[in-house]
C-alpha cells in the first residue's frame, strides 16, 4: 500500500509541475516570442490565460459553497430528529 501511495503522490506532483510549467511559459515567456514563431501553435490565445483560472476559481468556490450548504442542511436534519 505504501508503494501505491508514493506512486500516486509522484504522479500528482509530476502533473502539477507540468501544468505549472506550461502555464508559466504561456503567460510569462510567450509574449516575448515573435508572433510567427512555431511555438505559438502549442498555446491558446492569451485571453484564455486569465479566463481559465478565473472560471476555475469561480467553479471551485461554487462547488465548495454548495457542498458546505448540503452538509449544513444534513446536519440540521440530524439535530432535529435526535
Amino acid at each position: 500500500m505504501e508503494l501505491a501511495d508514493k506512486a500516486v503522490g509522484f504522479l500528482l506532483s509530476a502533473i502539477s509541475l507540468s501544468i505549472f510549467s506550461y502555464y508559466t511559459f504561456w503567460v510569462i515567456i510567450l509574449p516575448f516570442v515573435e508572433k510567427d514563431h512555431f511555438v505559438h501553435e502549442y498555446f491558446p490565445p492569451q485571453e484564455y490565460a486569465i479566463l481559465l483560472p478565473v472560471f476555475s476559481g469561480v467553479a471551485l468556490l461554487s462547488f465548495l459553497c454548495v457542498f458546505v450548504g448540503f452538509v449544513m442542511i444534513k446536519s440540521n436534519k440530524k439535530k432535529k430528529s435526535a
Side-chain angles (χ1 to χ4, degrees):
M1 188 67 165
E2 184 178 321
L3 183 61
D5 291 341
K6 286 183 179 181
V8 169
F10 178 76
L11 183 65
L12 289 175
S13 296
I15 290 171
S16 297
L17 182 63
S18 63
I19 290 173
F20 176 77
S21 300
Y22 180 85
Y23 185 78
T24 302
F25 187 83
W26 181 26
V27 172
I28 295 176
I29 297 174
L30 201 62
F32 298 108
V33 177
E34 295 179 9
K35 297 289 184 193
D36 58 346
H37 198 273
F38 75 93
V39 78
H40 281 277
E41 297 174 9
Y42 300 109
F43 296 92
Q46 288 285 19
E47 295 84 29
Y48 292 118
I50 301 299
L51 292 177
L52 287 175
V54 168
F55 178 73
S56 299
V58 168
L60 178 66
L61 189 60
S62 299
F63 174 74
L64 289 175
C65 290
V66 168
F67 177 75
V68 169
F70 277 131
V71 169
M72 289 174 62
I73 290 171
K74 204 175 214 182
S75 173
N76 197 16
K77 286 181 181 179
K78 284 184 181 179
K79 285 182 182 178
K80 285 183 180 180
S81 66

